């Protein structure tokens, strides 16, 4: 089958971006949400993004208009899905909600249509069981902002047909993005298994090390070469996404992250980050905004616990054959913008120092920090 028409379910941060990059690759796109007002907002964001790309001469203004007109916003689920080859579900990360969505789709959509989920953390095999086509079901996980981030994790479930893996890999390549196959359907896949726990760890750092958010973020940016600080990135991603992803991962595997209660508090209090005007930092509006981080502030904090937790989860991925070292490095470079490879960062700071830091944390705060053998063996 050749994919021509694509339907994206959910027009939030990820959904509207996936719709846009699909339209930019020549697909006809149906963008579906439950209310027109969500679609209007999504289409505004798409217009803004296309204009930005035109300003930077990445596309012409004519092309921007064509791409925009190739996206058809729709509320009617049946109309949005009855003439499509691929449905990418990008609704909020809530298992019950996804169960409802797939329940509706099962009865509406022709059997050949591929179902893909942009879930950030939910197991693909579990989701596939909610559908009447587990062999035609796969995970395709994009990164925020999909318009700029080159990585897409492709996650086959237990029953996913090999042909579907190929089809989806080709679709991802046609978007001019790099697919990385996640060999095992583990909570958080590759990148979120590293990123999401860092939000909790950065919160613990504030209390344990008595530092400020912008000191931690500046250190992460200027000492670890991340493009954004952890709190900045959490606000940019949305505390709703972070909380739901944390909850779902923690439910399935206690070793992924050490929950900090502040994340749920912020979610309950609607302090969602950039999208609500307030998260770890304050924002003027919903538009793209950056936090002022400086090399001077970075000198005031040593982010060894943050690096330790990231590298330890990376070590777990390698030890458990979830991905190769090459794929891990590629994923962190293209999905999180890391300029230096994670184990190179450890080597720069000294592996013994990082392992000892983890052992010290293990002594004080428990087994979560126990260093994995791969990290202990790093020279
Ligand atoms: N479309 C088009 N242009 C955009 C855009 C979009 N959606 N978003 C931002 N831009 C523009 C900005 O407006 C800015 O334009 P300007 O130069 O005219 O001001 C430009 O792109 C970026 O400028 P910055 O100086 O802010 O840029 P950076 O060099 O830092 O790049 C970034 C921005 C690519 C976002 C980079 O900071 C980065 O890689 N950050 C990390 C992002 C990340 O880790 N994402 C993954 C999160 S995890 C995830 O998504 C998984 C989920 O399941 C939770």
């Amino acid at each position: 089958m050749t994919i021509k028409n694509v339907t994206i379910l959910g027009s939030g941060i990820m959904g509207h971006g996936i719709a846009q990059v699909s339209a930019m690759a020549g697909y006809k796109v149906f963008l579906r949400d439950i209310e027109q007002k969500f679609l209007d907002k999504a289409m505004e964001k798409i217009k803004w993004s296309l204009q930005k790309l035109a300003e930077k001469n990445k596309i012409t203004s004519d092309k921007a208009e064509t791409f925009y007109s190739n996206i058809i916003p729709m509320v009617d689920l049946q109309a949005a899905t009855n003439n499509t080859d691929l449905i990418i579900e990008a609704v909020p990360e809530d298992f019950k909600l996804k169960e409802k969505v797939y329940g509706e789709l099962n009865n509406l959509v022709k059997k050949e249509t591929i179902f893909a989920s942009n879930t950030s953390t939910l197991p693909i095999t579990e989701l596939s069981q909610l559908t009447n086509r587990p062999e035609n079901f796969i995970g395709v996980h994009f990164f925020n902002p999909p318009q700029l981030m080159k990585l897409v994790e492709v996650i086959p479930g237990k029953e996913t047909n090999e042909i579907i893996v190929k089809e989806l890999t080709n679709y991802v390549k046609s978007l001019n993005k790099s697919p990385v196959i996640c060999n095992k359907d583990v909570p958080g896949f590759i990148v979120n298994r590293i990123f999401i726990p860092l939000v909790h760890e950065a919160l613990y750092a504030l209390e344990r090390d008595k530092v400020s958010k912008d000191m931690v973020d500046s250190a992460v940016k200027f000492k670890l070469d991340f493009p954004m600080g952890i709190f900045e990135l959490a606000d940019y991603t949305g505390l709703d996404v972070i909380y739901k992803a944390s909850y779902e991962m923690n439910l399935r595997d206690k070793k992924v992250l050490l929950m900090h209660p502040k994340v749920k508090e912020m979610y309950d209090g609607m302090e969602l980050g950039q999208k609500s005007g307030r998260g770890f930092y304050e924002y003027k509006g919903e538009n793209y905004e950056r936090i002022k981080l400086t090399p001077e502030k970075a000198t005031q904090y040593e982010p060894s616990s943050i690096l330790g937790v990231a590298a330890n989860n990376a070590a777990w991925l390698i030890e458990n054959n979830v991905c190769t070292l090459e794929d891990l490095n590629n994923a962190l470079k293209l999905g999180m913008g890391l300029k230096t490879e994670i184990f190179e960062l450890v080597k720069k700071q000294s592996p013994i120092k990082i392992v000892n830091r983890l052992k010290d944390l293990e002594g004080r705060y428990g087994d979560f920090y126990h260093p994995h053998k791969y990290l202990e063996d790093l020279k």
Side-chain angles (χ1 to χ4, degrees), residues 13-14 16-17 20 45-46 48-53 55-56 58 93 118-121 141-149 153 191-192 195-196 221 226-228 232-233 236-238 241-242 245 288-290 332-339:
I13 290 184
M14 299 310 289
H16 88 267
Q20 180 184 329
K45 288 196 159 160
I46 291 171
W48 174 84
S49 173
L50 288 167
Q51 271 165 2
K52 266 274 162 205
L53 297 175
E55 261 170 41
K56 292 176 187 265
K58 298 215 167 118
E93 201 68 343
N118 178 58
T119 178
S120 45
T121 42
H141 182 222
F142 289 75
F143 291 81
N144 185 28
Q147 294 93 337
L148 303 186
M149 305 311 281
E153 292 172 336
V191 172
N192 275 344
F195 162 49
I196 306 280
K221 181 163 173 169
F226 282 37
M228 288 178 168
E232 183 185 24
L233 181 56
Y236 181 56
T237 306
V241 174
I242 305 284
Y288 184 75
E289 217 177 303
R290 298 297 299 267
L332 291 178
K333 182 172 153 196
L334 303 178
M336 269 183 88
L338 260 58
K339 295 182 203 84

Side-chain angles (χ1 to χ4, degrees), residues 202 298 352:
I352 294 173

Side-chain angles (χ1 to χ4, degrees), residues 20-268:
Q20 180 184 329
V21 295
S22 299
M24 288 173 71
Y27 296 97
K28 180 170 179 183
V29 180
F30 302 102
L31 178 60
R32 195 266 172 176
D33 214 318
I34 49 173
E35 285 188 43
Q36 188 60 41
K37 66 176 186 214
F38 298 140
L39 290 167
D40 292 343
K41 200 164 157 186
M43 292 307 284
E44 248 175 58
K45 288 196 159 160
I46 291 171
K47 190 175 268 172
W48 174 84
S49 173
L50 288 167
Q51 271 165 2
K52 266 274 162 205
L53 297 175
E55 261 170 41
K56 292 176 187 265
N57 293 323
K58 298 215 167 118
I59 53 173
T60 63
S61 300
D62 283 356
K63 284 264 184 218
E65 275 177 32
T66 311
F67 298 148
Y68 185 81
S69 62
N70 279 348
I71 304 171
I72 303 155
M74 285 183 149
V75 173
D76 183 338
L77 182 63
Q78 181 157 23
T81 55
N82 69 2
N83 182 26
T84 197
D85 308 305
L86 168 66
I87 297 179
I88 302 181
E89 168 270 304
V91 307
E93 201 68 343
D94 175 329
F95 195 81
K96 286 248 174 309
L97 175 64
K98 300 210 190 231
E99 189 170 22
K100 180 170 171 278
V101 170
Y102 287 117
E104 284 170 354
L105 290 179
N106 285 338
N107 302 323
L108 283 180
V109 182
K110 62 180 191 238
K111 207 60 201 279
E112 310 82 69
T113 299
I114 303 169
F115 285 0
S117 178
N118 178 58
T119 178
S120 45
T121 42
L122 289 166
I124 297 305
T125 304
E126 265 184 57
L127 289 177
S128 75
Q129 300 307 317
L130 303 174
T131 76
N132 54 3
R133 63 198 75 193
E135 68 293 342
N136 248 358
F137 188 95
I138 193 159
V140 273
H141 182 222
F142 289 75
F143 291 81
N144 185 28
Q147 294 93 337
L148 303 186
M149 305 311 281
K150 285 273 178 200
L151 181 74
V152 180
E153 292 172 336
V154 175
I155 314 106
K158 272 211 179 72
E159 293 180 53
T160 311
N161 195 316
E162 258 315 301
I163 297 167
I164 301 299
V165 181
K166 273 211 187 94
E167 286 266 12
L168 260 290
T169 306
N170 286 338
Y171 158 75
V172 169
K173 286 183 184 160
S174 75
L175 308 181
N176 196 21
K177 305 228 170 267
S178 300
V180 166
I181 304 273
C182 193
N183 294 325
K184 285 192 186 165
D185 183 11
V186 296
F189 313 128
I190 302 170
V191 172
N192 275 344
R193 196 163 184 111
I194 294 173
F195 162 49
I196 306 280
L198 294 189
V199 180
H200 298 266
E201 192 54 35
L203 277 163
Y204 284 117
L206 296 183
E207 295 165 9
R208 293 171 187 165
D209 303 329
K210 309 271 179 288
V211 278
S212 66
K213 281 174 260 193
D214 54 352
M215 279 179 206
V216 173
D217 271 1
S218 295
V220 165
K221 181 163 173 169
F222 293 101
K223 290 186 170 168
L224 301 183
D225 269 351
F226 282 37
M228 288 178 168
I230 300 298
F231 295 116
E232 183 185 24
L233 181 56
D235 275 356
Y236 181 56
T237 306
L239 268 296
D240 47 347
V241 174
I242 305 284
Y243 169 67
K244 285 176 182 157
S246 304
Y247 173 83
E248 296 290 354
M249 285 203 282
N250 198 246
L251 198 66
R252 289 166 178 83
D253 185 351
K254 295 282 179 279
K255 189 73 178 96
V256 188
L257 56 86
L258 194 62
M259 276 277 197
H260 192 290
K262 180 80 181 162
V263 171
K264 182 170 188 311
E265 262 172 46
M266 290 176 77
Y267 168 69
D268 289 340

